[in-house]
Amino acid sequence: MLRSHRIAVAAWLETALVFGVFVLEGAWPVPDTNEAHYLGKALHYWDPTWCARDFFLNSADSHLTFYLSVGWLVRWLSFPAAAWAGRLATWALMAFGWRSLSHALLPRWGMAIVSAGLLAALSERCHMAGEWIIGGFEAKGLAFGLVFVALAQVVRGRWTLGWLLIGAASALHVLVGGWTAIALAGAWTMLGSQRPSLRSMLPGMLLGGVIALAGVIPGLQLTRHASPAVVAEANELYVYERLPHHLWPAKFPASFVERFLLLAAIWFALCAFTNSDARQNVIRRVVAASLMIAGAGWLISLAAPVWPAPVAGLLRFYWFRLSDAMLPLGAALVGTSWLWQCIATRRSWGIIATAVVVFGLIGHFAALTAARMKDPAPRADGPSKVIDYRAWRDVCRWVREHTPADALCLTPRSSQTFKWYAQRGEVVTWKDVPQDASELVAWWQRMEDIHGTGSIEEGSRFYGSLADTSVAHVARVARKYGVDYLVTTCDPPLALPCLYQNAVYAVYDLRDLRKRDVRGD
């Protein structure tokens, strides 16, 4: 009894320390890059009167399971409190799954902590398509947590339970769960005599598929009411204009690709020089399958210059998301196995290698901490999003306190947190892109109509600020979209009624302007 109690305490302590690693990795100030996007949509789902006139919030709900299962938090908690509660729950799920997976492969206390650190560092620094695992509160993080738990069950031979959990991950985020299911199926085909029979897995696969429908059906409905031409246009806009850094390899930074390929080479080398067993083989083949999926995406992308529309229709499914997660996962797990093997066979060398890895991880987390202390602004309010964080918070506060709750505002194109701070609806922003095909095309038309310069040159297609346009342009936009207020830079000033101004931003009243004809500048 005493021994089992000690084992349980050790397991919970190790899980808590893994959780601490994930907290160190992901504890950026709120909101993180996608939290304003997700939680704003969740609140509007539960309370349609909140920012009732916002274009994005009224678009189709593609992550319905997330809104239903955890989105209700924002009805009872503030945005920051809901984000932190969701983050902690997500990281706790990840920690439980990761410790279980790591211990199934290497049942040595403490190695799960090292492998968690490697996962965090490698996913942060060796991704190819800008994807992440440990971050803010959104559907993707919860889905990856379920994937960790599922893989832990699969390597223990519990494939039925693994398929059920993959189905749950797909319900939360259909791409994370769906690509993992494909990779797991690919791994199963490569296991040969070590694989379970299809018949034994079938109940879990079927029930997991039924669970996954909660994520699949909303995804299928995104193109249901659109014509083939509109769907094709939406796909091209999504892949080539809005998200090429995630979807189109031609736009991946060369340094990202090089680091990813280097990590892949290291993973192959570690697999070659590290002992393997049936459990290790499962994970290695899942990682290999994810790399095959990414390779297929690269091959498909090569046809983009010839067949841009069909290629966009395929690339929109994020062929590189899984490999950006699974390669760091595989390298972290086989890396810790290699370290333990070194310790077991050549104790002095193994200890030195482990010390090097630990000090490297300390450097990684120290650099993250230093970055947060240097710039306390959330990543959603980084330099590419707002000009000055404090001035942005100030103008959002003023809008929230001095405008009607149903006001519709014209805001800077690149801002991401206006609804988070000001609690007011927006006409359109770059971040808040709808997923429905027809609405995505309408989003692009709004972007060009409001912020477009008319130039086709990359880098000069949009105005840096609507203050650089004209009163006539603002008046036309105000009338067309029913805008109440304009929030933009205060320099150069516009000949409009200015309600508030700080050192960077100004708020203009457009309610009377949209009722009268304004010509010229």
Side-chain angles (χ1 to χ4, degrees), residues 175-238:
L175 291 175
V176 169
W179 280 122
T180 303
I182 292 172
L184 191 57
W188 178 83
T189 65
M190 292 185 276
L191 285 172
S193 61
Q194 295 179 332
R195 68 192 183 198
S197 67
L198 181 60
R199 183 176 181 179
S200 68
M201 295 192 307
L202 198 57
M205 296 177 73
L206 291 176
L207 186 53
V210 171
I211 296 171
L213 289 177
V216 172
I217 291 175
L220 294 176
Q221 291 178 330
L222 297 176
T223 58
R224 187 178 63 175
H225 300 296
S227 67
V230 169
V231 172
E233 182 181 0
N235 290 338
E236 291 193 63
L237 291 172
Y238 196 70

Side-chain angles (χ1 to χ4, degrees), residues 73-93:
L73 277 172
V74 292
R75 294 197 68 185
W76 310 109
L77 300 174
S78 66
F79 277 146
W84 275 111
R87 286 183 183 190
L88 295 175
T90 301
W91 298 334
L93 175 62

Side-chain angles (χ1 to χ4, degrees), residues 363-376:
H364 165 75
F365 290 114
L368 285 184
T369 303
R372 290 168 185 152
M373 294 178 65
K374 181 179 179 181
D375 184 6

Side-chain angles (χ1 to χ4, degrees), residues 118-276:
L118 285 170
L119 173 74
L122 294 175
S123 62
E124 173 83 19
R125 302 183 183 278
C126 296
H127 59 78
M128 177 175 62
E131 299 292 350
W132 55 264
I133 302 174
I134 305 159
F137 180 38
E138 59 176 272
K140 183 168 66 172
L142 289 169
F144 273 125
L146 289 173
V147 166
F148 290 171
V149 180
L151 292 177
Q153 299 305 313
V154 168
V155 299
R156 287 184 166 91
R158 303 166 188 160
W159 285 74
T160 297
L161 181 54
W163 285 116
L164 291 175
L165 290 165
I166 294 298
S170 302
L172 274 169
H173 198 291
V174 68
L175 291 175
V176 169
W179 280 122
T180 303
I182 292 172
L184 191 57
W188 178 83
T189 65
M190 292 185 276
L191 285 172
S193 61
Q194 295 179 332
R195 68 192 183 198
S197 67
L198 181 60
R199 183 176 181 179
S200 68
M201 295 192 307
L202 198 57
M205 296 177 73
L206 291 176
L207 186 53
V210 171
I211 296 171
L213 289 177
V216 172
I217 291 175
L220 294 176
Q221 291 178 330
L222 297 176
T223 58
R224 187 178 63 175
H225 300 296
S227 67
V230 169
V231 172
E233 182 181 0
N235 290 338
E236 291 193 63
L237 291 172
Y238 196 70
V239 172
Y240 303 131
E241 298 290 349
R242 179 60 184 86
L243 292 167
H245 55 291
H246 289 315
L247 304 175
W248 190 20
K251 294 296 183 178
F252 294 171
S255 60
F256 286 16
V257 178
E258 291 164 359
R259 290 182 305 187
F260 182 87
L261 293 177
L262 177 60
L263 181 60
I266 293 172
W267 174 75
F268 277 112
L270 288 170
C271 289
F273 291 101
T274 306
N275 295 333
S276 183

Side-chain angles (χ1 to χ4, degrees), residues 99 307 383 425:
R99 191 267 171 188
W307 299 298

Side-chain angles (χ1 to χ4, degrees), residues 9-25 94-104 106-122 134 332-333 335-337 339-340 354 357-362 364-365:
V9 170
W12 282 109
L13 177 59
E14 189 175 26
T15 302
L17 292 172
V18 171
F19 172 77
V21 170
F22 293 161
V23 170
L24 285 174
E25 175 65 25
M94 284 186 170
F96 171 79
W98 186 260
R99 191 267 171 188
S100 181
L101 175 58
S102 179
H103 203 72
L106 183 60
R108 297 290 185 271
W109 196 94
M111 299 310 289
I113 305 167
V114 177
S115 64
L118 285 170
L119 173 74
L122 294 175
I134 305 159
L333 292 171
T336 50
S337 295
L339 289 173
W340 185 259
T354 303
V357 169
V358 170
F359 278 110
L361 293 177
I362 291 173
H364 165 75
F365 290 114

